[in-house]
Amino acid sequence: METYRISIKGENSLHGETYVSGGKNTSLAVIPAVILCDEPCTIENLPDIEDIHVLYRILCHLGAKVDYNLEKKRMVIDPSTVNSVTVPYSFSQQMRASYYLMGALFGRFGHAEVGYPGGCAIGSRPIDQHIKGFTILGAEFSEGNGMLCLKGERNGNAVNFDMATVGGTINVMLAACRAKGNTILFNAAREPHVVDVANFLNSMGAKIRGAGTDTIRIKGVNRLHGTSYSVIPDQIETGTLMIAAAATRGDVLIRGCIPTHMEALTAKLLEMGVYVNSVDDCIRVRLNKGHRAIRISTQEYPGFPTDLQQPMSALLTRANGNSEVTENIFDNRFKHLDEMRRMGAKVTISGRVAYIEGVPELRGAPVNACDLRGGAALVIAGLMAKGITQVYNPDFIHRGYERIEDKLRSLGADIRLEACD
Ligand code: EPZ
C-alpha cells in the first residue's frame, strides 16, 4: 500500500485568513448519540476526517440508514433500522471514541457489546469510570475476547467520577438520557464539547441541565425524537492554527471559531508577547518579533487543554529563555519531543515535566508522527525550521485535522502531502 509523508519547506510566515472546521471530539459523540432516538437526525458541520469515516462504517454495520454527504459536511442518520448491539474489535480499535457506542447502545437497548477502544498512545487510557457509571445505572458488565459487554436495566442514579473524565461524562450522560428516573453526574467534565453533546441531546427531547458545570442533572425519558443539529467549531484546531500563526511569526485571521473556548491558550500567548485579538467568531494572531518563555500546566477545562500542550511545545522551542511544560492529564504525552530534538530542539524530560530551552532556530529533518496532536506539533516545528522537514505517518494527523495541508498552504506555507519514495 502506498505510504505518504507531509513535506514542508520551513521559514514561511503564515499570513491571511482561514476557517475552523466542525469539532472532531463533539462530532464523535453526537453521531453515536443518534442511536438513542428512533427517528432520522441530520448532523451538520461535520469535519471530513478519518475518525468520522470510521463512525459512518460502524453505524452502517449496526444497520442504521446513513446518508453521508462529505461535500455538504452532513450526515442524515435513520437509527430506526439499527438491528445489532455489537461493534466488533476490528472497528472499535480504530479510534478512542468508539467507546460512545457503549452508552448509546446500552441507553437505547439495555445491551451493548463493543470491542476495546483504540486511540492515540498517550498513556494508559482506562475506561473504569465509564464502566462504574454504567453499572451504577444498573448495567451488568462483563468482558472477554476483547469485547466489553453491558446488559440490564437503566435506572437513574447518582454517579461521582473519580476524575473529571470527558469520555466518561459524555458516555454515562448518553445512557442516562433513556434511563428510568433521574441521574446526577458529580465531578463531571466541563469541556465545550460536553455542552455541545448535551445541547444536541436536548434538541432530541432529552432533559439535561448543568452541562458545562461539574454537576449535570439528567431526567430520563422513554423516547427521543429526530432533530437537525450543527456541531460547534473545533476548539483544538482553532488553538493549533493560533499557535502555528505565532510560531511562524505571521499574521492570521481565524474565522468561524468560538473565542471564549480559547481563553486559556489566549492568556498564555499574550503572556509570551503574542498579539491576540478576538471579535465575534474570529481570532487574529500576530507575532513579528521574538517571544518570551513561559510555564504551562495542563488541566481539565477551563484550564490549559492537554490537546494543545504538544503544538505549544513547538512554539516554545524558539522562545527567549527556558520554558516548562507539565502534563497532568495523560502519563505519556511527550513522544513528539524526541522527534523535535532531531530538529535541534533542546528538551529534557523529568516525569510529567518537559524543560524546553529556547534555541535561535530549528533545522528541518525527517520525523515520525506518533499520535494526532504530536503530529500537529511536528508540522508546526517544520513550518518554523530552516530547510525541509518530512513528517511520516501523516494518517495520525488526518484523523483529527480536516485538510490541514490545504489550510496551511492557503496561508503561505510551503507544504504538501507526497508519496514516500
Ligand atoms: C478525550 O479523551 C479526548 N478524546 C482527548 O482528545 C482529550 O485529550 C481528553 O478527552 C481530555 O480532554 C475524545 O474526545 C475522543 P478523559 P478521553 O476521559 O475521553 C483518565 C485528541 O487529541 N481516565 O478526559 O480519553 C485518563 O487516563 C484526543 O483529540 C481514567 O483513569 O479523556 C486520563 O488520564 C486525545 N479512567 C484522564 O482520565 C476513565 O475511565 C482524562 O481522560 C477515563 C479516564
Side-chain angles (χ1 to χ4, degrees):
M1 187 175 78
E2 186 97 76
T3 54
Y4 291 85
R5 64 194 178 203
I6 294 174
S7 181
I8 305 162
K9 183 173 178 301
E11 297 191 299
N12 287 11
S13 293
L14 300 183
H15 284 84
E17 296 187 11
T18 187
Y19 66 93
V20 179
S21 301
K24 156 182 155 331
N25 290 340
T26 189
S27 302
L28 295 180
V30 163
I31 293 169
V34 171
I35 290 172
L36 289 165
C37 89
D38 39 28
E39 293 176 358
C41 293
T42 299
I43 317 293
E44 311 261 18
N45 197 32
L46 290 172
D48 176 6
I49 54 177
E50 184 51 28
D51 275 9
I52 302 279
H53 306 161
V54 172
L55 263 189
Y56 165 69
R57 294 194 286 270
I58 290 177
L59 285 181
C60 294
H61 173 82
L62 291 171
K65 284 199 200 76
V66 188
D67 171 16
Y68 182 18
N69 185 320
L70 274 165
E71 287 309 304
K72 294 201 171 89
K73 303 177 184 295
R74 181 183 64 212
M75 234 186 235
V76 180
I77 305 165
D78 178 355
S80 63
T81 54
V82 168
N83 54 23
S84 168
V85 294
T86 304
V87 178
Y89 180 69
S90 56
F91 283 116
S92 64
Q93 53 93 21
Q94 296 181 48
M95 61 179 192
R96 172 91 176 149
S98 53
Y99 53 34
Y100 289 134
L101 275 308
M102 297 172 73
L105 289 167
F106 177 63
R108 164 92 176 269
F109 298 109
H111 186 189
E113 305 206 1
V114 179
Y116 280 104
C120 289
I122 50 180
S124 66
R125 300 179 76 180
I127 57 168
D128 58 296
Q129 298 297 301
H130 303 231
I131 305 304
K132 168 180 165 179
F134 294 136
T135 47
I136 288 172
L137 295 185
E140 275 185 39
F141 170 68
S142 61
E143 61 183 305
N145 309 317
M147 298 297 283
L148 301 162
C149 302
L150 298 170
K151 206 164 186 175
E153 292 306 309
R154 287 89 79 215
N155 299 307
N157 208 324
V159 178
N160 209 317
F161 291 112
D162 298 358
M163 81 288 295
T165 157
V166 171
T169 298
I170 293 174
N171 222 350
V172 179
M173 184 166 72
L174 295 180
C177 280
R178 294 288 302 268
K180 290 189 202 72
N182 299 336
T183 296
I184 305 184
L185 305 183
F186 293 107
N187 198 18
R190 297 180 281 169
E191 268 70 4
H193 66 277
V194 174
V195 178
D196 202 34
V197 175
N199 290 341
F200 168 69
L201 292 165
N202 284 340
S203 79
M204 288 203 288
K207 297 188 184 326
I208 302 171
R209 297 287 171 271
T213 75
D214 62 2
T215 306
I216 299 177
R217 297 169 194 283
I218 303 138
K219 188 173 171 37
V221 295
N222 56 24
R223 69 178 298 280
L224 293 170
H225 55 71
T227 186
S228 285
Y229 192 83
S230 181
V231 298
I232 57 171
D234 195 302
Q235 174 203 16
I236 305 304
E237 185 195 17
T238 304
T240 305
L241 293 168
M242 290 169 70
I243 294 167
T248 59
R249 297 188 178 154
D251 183 350
V252 174
L253 182 69
I254 300 161
R255 292 191 177 284
C257 59
I258 301 178
T260 49
H261 291 168
M262 308 313 301
E263 295 294 343
L265 172 64
T266 298
K268 282 297 171 183
L269 290 175
L270 291 171
E271 193 183 325
M272 298 177 84
V274 179
Y275 170 87
V276 183
N277 186 37
S278 311
V279 177
D280 298 336
D281 68 344
C282 298
I283 295 181
R284 185 175 179 192
V285 177
R286 189 177 65 226
L287 181 67
N288 44 27
K289 56 185 183 352
H291 50 285
R292 290 186 286 275
I294 54 166
R295 296 174 65 170
I296 287 173
S297 182
T298 63
Q299 305 293 335
E300 296 87 356
Y301 191 87
F304 191 92
T306 175
D307 292 349
L308 289 176
Q309 173 263 104
Q310 293 163 294
M312 193 66 166
S313 62
L315 176 59
L316 295 174
T317 61
R318 218 171 48 180
N320 298 325
N322 299 335
S323 300
E324 268 183 42
V325 177
T326 304
E327 173 53 65
N328 296 304
I329 307 295
F330 290 104
D331 48 24
N332 185 12
R333 203 166 193 173
F334 287 141
K335 281 194 285 232
H336 59 295
L337 295 174
D338 290 333
E339 299 298 305
M340 282 189 200
R341 282 200 191 94
R342 292 158 58 182
M343 301 174 73
K346 279 198 177 158
V347 179
T348 51
I349 297 170
S350 170
R352 285 188 173 273
V353 185
Y355 299 92
I356 303 175
E357 182 188 335
V359 293
E361 74 174 20
L362 297 179
R363 294 179 310 282
V367 289
N368 276 313
C370 307
D371 55 68
L372 166 57
R373 309 301 176 184
L378 294 173
V379 168
I380 293 172
L383 294 172
M384 299 161 72
K386 195 176 190 61
I388 304 288
T389 297
Q390 294 161 331
V391 183
Y392 288 82
N393 309 321
D395 288 355
F396 281 116
I397 302 167
H398 296 150
R399 278 190 49 213
Y401 290 96
E402 180 184 63
R403 285 191 278 283
I404 188 70
E405 299 93 346
D406 296 345
K407 289 187 181 181
L408 292 171
R409 197 179 309 112
S410 73
L411 292 170
D414 183 344
I415 181 173
R416 67 183 182 284
L417 186 66
E418 63 183 21
C420 294
D421 32 50

